[in-house]
């Protein structure tokens, strides 16, 4: 906690120096030698307490105190008068002006420090503790001496107070618990338990924590005074007291308490109203619909979400029966939420969940209804069902593909094996027509075998079982090795195939077998979808840290709509009889798995260029 700000005001520079040394550890000190300087400093930065000389040239201490108490910004700052002329009338006048305390010069360190701490403590408690304001303040006087109690009664007779008296500490505690006083006058020298112990017990009661407590005692020495104030006392008065001084001090303490209560009530009212306003704003913009009806079922509150749900303006809904929008069955009292369909002027009925909460009884009863729009929840549930259906279908498809590939693979291997034996049998050569038919059978079986291999590869990709190597490879060498395998197909389609590019090695990271598969797939597409007597140009080049391999044909090309569906498995883009529509989708997946890209550029009537782009691998690149 930061130290309190103390403003010391005295026209005697020596006294200011003495006070400065005395209070150096008590707070952050500022000094003023005139009343005008004191008011200026107080306005610039209001202090927590002012220690004020009563007699100063020009603006004296009384004028300074009067000006501070008349200024709302400074009125709550406790002022302790410090004067060398201790007169009962001067003290009473100072207290009536609003001073918190009155101390005589020369200052005694223990006494001044104790009074400053007491006032600062009282100020903190007064601004944080709850209390109510009684019509007539109650003062509890605790003293075992009947004459002392009579003197207190006579001194305070002129004030409009309710006086309570107690002979000892236990009676004081019992009275305070029955009726919390606004001020306590406590003798230090009490039977059984001393006043200091009673002070601690009284202030331990929650209702009395903010009640000022004044010690009245015949022990008039600085040591006793310091102990009393450190124990929790707000003020200290010596016996025999001057009635006018006691009356002024009581009046001052009660006035300070009333002011603190007024400020605290104002603060609470401010925050209560602010809280009500904030709550109204929160309800108004709440995402869920809220409606409150009176005992007759008429709408008395409706927020923005409810207006949107009912498709009605707030001013048109207020005062109208809620049954105009909700079915009567939904309005019957019941435990738990109820689900209903809310009709809409436009569009389908909206499913809502209604939770009803009654407040109050009989004619004063209010019913609050929270309406939760279930459309989002139902859409989410439908999405979850659709996802589960899709996952189930995908799993079923995977099982079926694996089963068919396995079951078809065995007889297919037999077909290819016997076809090879028949074509190579020197003892029973086939006549040319039969040999041609056998070649067609072999070609079809090989196409089926390629299809099944591609289908299984796609399935492995979808299930995360596909493994790709990342070895350092020369793409140019792989292309030169793979292209001769397309020569027969190119000849059959009368397509001329050429290879352009650098002779130097083009290093990338990839899987050699899968790269050959990609080259064959793209080359085969460039031949199949080319025009008769067309050209397929295969080009290799390296630039900007990338290696590019392109296949440019002179075929029919593709429209923008066809390109949008190009990589969908089994979609042949309306070209019946040309491939099975899976090779290109598989090629793209293989290239992406090797950190590459497959780019497409196609113009209807002019042809298509498919380009593989890979990051170039440097000599320092390590195989993964």
């Amino acid at each position: 906690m930061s130290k309190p700000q103390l403003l010391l005001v005295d026209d005697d520079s020596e006294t200011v120096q003495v006070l400065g040394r005395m209070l150096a550890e008590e707070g952050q000190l500022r000094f003023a030698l005139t009343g005008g300087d004191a008011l200026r400093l107080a306005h610039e930065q209001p202090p927590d307490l002012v220690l004020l000389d009563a007699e100063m040239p020009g603006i004296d201490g009384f004028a300074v105190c009067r000006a501070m108490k008349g200024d709302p910004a400074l009125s709550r700052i406790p002022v302790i008068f410090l004067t060398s002329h201790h007169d009962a009338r001067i003290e009473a006048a100072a207290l009536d002006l609003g001073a918190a305390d009155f101390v005589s010069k020369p200052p005694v360190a223990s006494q001044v420090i104790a009074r400053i701490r007491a006032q600062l403590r009282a100020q903190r408690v007064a601004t944080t503790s709850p209390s109510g304001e009684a019509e007539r303040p109650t003062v509890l006087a605790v003293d075992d001496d009947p004459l002392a109690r009579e003197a207190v009664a006579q001194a305070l007779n002129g004030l409009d107070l309710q006086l309570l008296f107690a002979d000892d500490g236990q009676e004081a505690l019992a009275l305070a618990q029955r009726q919390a006083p606004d001020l306590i006058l406590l003798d230090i020298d009490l039977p059984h338990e001393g006043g200091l112990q009673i002070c601690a017990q009284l202030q331990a009661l929650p209702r009395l924590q903010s009640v000022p407590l004044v010690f009245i005692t015949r022990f008039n020495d600085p040591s006793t005074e310091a102990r009393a104030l450190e124990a929790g006392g707000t003020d200290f008065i010596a016996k025999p007291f001057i009635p006018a001084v006691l009356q002024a001090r009581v009046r001052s303490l009660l006035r300070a308490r009333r002011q603190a209560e007024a400020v605290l009530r104002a603060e609470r009212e401010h925050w209560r109203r602010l809280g009500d306003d904030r709550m109204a704003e929160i309800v108004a913009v709440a995402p869920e619909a809220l409606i409150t009806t009176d005992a007759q079922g008429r709408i008395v509150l409706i927020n923005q979400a409810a207006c949107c749900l009912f498709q009605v303006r707030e001013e048109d809904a207020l005062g109208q029966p809620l049954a105009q929008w909700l079915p009567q069955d939904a309005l019957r009292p019941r435990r738990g939420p109820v689900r209903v369909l809310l009709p809409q002027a436009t569009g389908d009925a909206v499913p809502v969940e209604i939770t009803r909460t009654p407040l109050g009884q009989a004619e004063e009863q209010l019913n609050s209804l929270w309406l939760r729009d279930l459309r989002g929840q139902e859409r989410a549930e439908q999405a979850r069902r659709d996802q589960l259906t899709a996952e189930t279908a995908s799993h079923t498809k995977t099982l079926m593909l694996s089963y068919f590939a396995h079951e078809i693979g065995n007889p297919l291997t037999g077909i290819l094996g016997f076809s090879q034996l028949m074509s190579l049998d020197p003892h029973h050569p086939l006549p040319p027509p039969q040999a041609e038919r056998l070649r067609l059978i072999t070609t079809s079986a090989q196409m089926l075998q390629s299809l099944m291999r591609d289908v299984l590869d796609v399935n492995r990709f979808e299930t995360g079982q596909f493994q790709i190597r990342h070895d350092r490879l020369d793409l140019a060498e792989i292309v030169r090795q793979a292209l001769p395998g397309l020569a027969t197909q190119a000849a059959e389609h009368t397509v001329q195939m050429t290879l352009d590019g650098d002779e130097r090695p083009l290093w990338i990271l990839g899987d050699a077998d899968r790269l050959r598969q990609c080259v064959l797939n793209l080359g085969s597409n460039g031949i199949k979808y080319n025009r008769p007597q067309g050209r397929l140009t295969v080009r290799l080049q390296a630039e900007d840290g990338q290696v590019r391999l392109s296949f440019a044909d002179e075929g029919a090309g593709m429209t923008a709509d066809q390109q949008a569906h190009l990589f969908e498995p089994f979609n042949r883009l309306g070209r019946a009889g040309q491939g099975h529509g899976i090779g290109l989708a598989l090629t793209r997946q293989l290239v992406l798995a090797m950190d590459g890209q497959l780019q497409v550029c196609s113009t209807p009537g002019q042809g298509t260029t498919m380009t593989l782009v890979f990051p170039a691998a440097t000599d320092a690149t390590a195989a993964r």
Side-chain angles (χ1 to χ4, degrees):
M1 181 183 298
S2 60
K3 289 187 176 182
Q5 299 274 348
L6 305 179
L7 177 57
L8 311 181
V9 186
D10 200 303
D11 63 323
D12 184 356
S13 59
E14 292 185 3
T15 301
V16 170
Q17 293 177 13
V18 171
L19 291 173
R21 291 192 295 270
M22 183 185 300
L23 303 176
E25 298 299 322
E26 296 301 312
Q28 302 178 40
L29 307 181
R30 288 185 295 161
F31 306 93
L33 297 177
T34 67
D37 287 343
L39 291 173
R40 178 178 57 80
L41 291 174
H43 280 100
E44 289 177 357
Q45 184 178 358
D48 296 298
L49 182 140
V50 177
L51 191 60
L52 179 63
D53 185 15
E55 298 177 348
M56 292 186 296
I59 303 177
D60 63 9
F62 291 94
V64 172
C65 183
R66 188 180 297 107
M68 290 181 60
K69 297 304 174 182
D71 187 337
L74 306 177
S75 61
R76 296 181 60 203
I77 299 173
V79 175
I80 298 178
F81 269 92
L82 184 66
T83 179
S84 57
H85 299 288
H86 189 186
D87 180 89
R89 290 173 299 176
I90 295 176
E91 182 176 349
L95 295 172
D96 284 338
L97 279 177
D101 208 343
F102 195 94
V103 180
S104 299
K105 289 183 180 180
V108 178
S110 59
Q111 181 188 39
V112 174
I113 291 173
R115 287 184 177 269
I116 288 175
R117 290 177 179 176
Q119 291 301 327
L120 292 174
R121 181 175 61 247
Q123 185 77 355
R124 288 194 300 271
V125 172
T127 57
T128 57
S129 298
S131 59
E133 182 181 11
E135 294 182 0
R136 292 177 64 209
T138 300
V139 176
L140 172 60
V142 186
D143 201 310
D144 62 327
D145 184 355
L147 295 178
R149 294 198 298 271
E150 180 63 26
V152 169
Q154 291 180 2
L156 302 181
N157 186 40
L159 302 179
D160 187 18
L161 302 174
Q162 179 182 359
L163 279 173
L164 303 177
F165 292 99
D167 294 340
D168 56 30
Q170 295 308 311
E171 185 181 0
L173 287 168
L175 285 173
Q177 288 176 323
R178 286 199 300 269
Q179 180 179 354
D182 298 286
L183 177 68
I184 299 173
L185 305 177
L186 179 62
D187 186 15
I188 285 185
D189 188 17
L190 291 173
H192 309 302
E193 293 179 287
L196 298 180
Q197 289 75 21
I198 296 300
C199 173
Q201 295 178 43
L202 286 169
Q203 293 188 333
L205 300 175
R207 298 176 63 191
L208 302 184
Q209 289 179 350
S210 65
V211 175
L213 188 148
V214 179
F215 281 101
I216 301 180
T217 179
R218 59 188 176 86
F219 300 105
N220 185 17
D221 61 273
S223 175
T224 301
E225 179 177 341
R227 287 192 298 113
L229 295 176
E230 290 292 340
T234 307
D235 203 349
F236 187 93
I237 300 176
K239 293 180 180 178
F241 51 78
I242 299 173
V245 172
L246 177 62
Q247 189 177 102
R249 286 186 177 271
V250 168
R251 191 163 48 235
S252 174
L253 289 169
L254 290 175
R255 181 174 61 247
R257 178 170 168 77
R258 285 195 300 273
Q259 290 173 349
E261 289 173 348
V263 171
L264 187 58
R265 283 195 300 273
E267 287 288 324
R268 287 177 177 163
E269 181 64 18
H270 166 74
W271 287 110
R272 185 192 67 77
R273 290 180 180 175
L274 187 62
D276 290 345
D277 293 342
R278 291 286 187 272
M279 182 58 67
E281 293 177 7
I282 291 171
V283 170
V285 300
E288 292 189 355
L290 171 64
I291 300 174
T292 300
T293 63
D294 59 16
Q296 287 73 43
R298 295 186 297 264
I299 297 174
V300 296
L301 182 149
I302 182 169
N303 69 352
Q304 297 173 11
C307 290
C308 181
L309 195 61
F310 286 174
Q311 298 180 333
V312 67
R313 296 184 304 173
E314 180 181 3
E315 55 269 27
D316 295 335
L318 291 175
Q320 299 299 316
L322 182 58
Q324 182 175 338
W325 289 279
L326 285 177
Q328 192 64 39
D329 181 64
L331 302 177
R332 291 205 310 268
R334 65 181 70 199
R335 291 184 178 180
V338 58
R339 185 186 183 279
V340 301
L341 286 175
L342 184 65
Q344 298 285 285
T346 58
D348 298 333
V350 176
V352 296
E353 182 182 82
I354 302 176
T355 302
R356 179 178 178 275
T357 304
L359 304 169
Q361 299 292 332
E363 291 301 316
E364 296 182 357
Q365 185 179 36
L366 296 175
N367 291 291
S368 290
L369 291 88
W370 288 98
L371 294 86
R372 187 159 66 94
D373 189 339
L374 298 179
R375 285 177 293 186
Q377 177 181 323
E378 292 187 353
R379 283 194 295 267
E381 291 176 353
Q382 183 61 44
R384 285 194 293 270
R385 289 194 293 269
D386 293 344
Q387 182 181 2
L388 180 61
T389 301
E391 290 175 352
T392 303
S394 177
H395 181 65
T396 302
K397 180 194 72 173
T398 299
L399 292 176
M400 289 180 63
L401 288 174
S402 298
Y403 173 77
F404 282 127
H406 181 269
E407 294 301 316
I408 293 175
N410 290 332
L412 187 59
T413 301
I415 293 172
L416 289 171
F418 280 108
S419 296
Q420 186 177 14
L421 289 175
M422 290 175 67
S423 63
L424 299 177
D425 188 350
H427 303 291
H428 303 88
L430 295 175
Q434 298 298 332
E436 176 61 20
R437 291 168 184 163
L438 180 62
R439 187 187 65 78
L440 294 175
I441 292 173
T442 302
T443 300
S444 298
Q446 289 173 341
M447 289 179 61
L448 180 59
Q449 189 179 51
S450 176
L451 170 62
M452 296 311 302
R453 183 183 67 247
D454 289 348
V455 167
L456 288 176
D457 283 344
V458 170
N459 182 61
R460 292 190 189 100
F461 265 113
E462 292 178 352
T463 57
Q465 299 175 357
F466 203 93
Q467 299 295 323
I468 289 288
R469 296 175 59 83
H470 289 80
D471 300 324
R472 192 165 183 268
L473 305 170
D474 179 7
L475 179 60
E477 180 62 23
I478 290 176
V479 171
R480 285 191 289 268
Q481 292 175 359
L483 287 182
L486 297 171
T488 302
Q489 184 182 8
E492 291 176 350
H493 287 76
T494 65
V495 171
Q496 182 180 355
M497 186 168 54
T498 60
L499 175 62
D500 294 340
D502 297 335
E503 295 295 330
R504 57 178 175 162
L506 299 176
W507 297 102
I508 65 169
L509 294 180
D511 188 310
D513 292 336
R514 296 305 178 180
L515 278 172
R516 291 189 190 93
Q517 186 175 354
C518 293
V519 171
L520 292 174
N521 281 341
L522 294 179
S524 177
N525 281 352
I527 294 171
K528 285 186 298 185
Y529 299 114
N530 216 318
R531 63 179 176 83
Q533 309 300 322
R535 179 187 299 273
L536 174 62
T537 302
V538 182
R539 181 173 287 106
L540 282 161
Q541 61 185 131
E543 58 182 9
D544 299 329
Q546 294 179 328
V547 176
R548 306 174 69 88
L549 169 62
S550 61
F551 297 81
D553 65 50
E554 297 176 348
M558 293 178 289
T559 64
D561 182 64
Q562 287 175 319
Q563 292 182 53
H565 301 279
L566 182 61
F567 298 108
E568 294 177 1
F570 307 106
N571 188 340
R572 293 186 293 184
L573 307 180
R575 298 169 177 176
Q578 298 190 49
H580 45 69
I582 197 172
L584 198 55
L586 177 60
T587 298
R588 186 190 189 201
Q589 289 179 318
L590 290 171
V591 172
L592 291 175
M594 290 182 281
D595 301 327
Q597 301 176 40
L598 175 54
Q599 300 174 350
V600 180
C601 179
S602 184
T603 303
Q606 297 183 19
T608 300
T609 299
M610 299 278 186
T611 304
L612 300 182
V613 182
F614 295 98
T618 63
D619 293 338
T621 303
R624 290 185 290 177

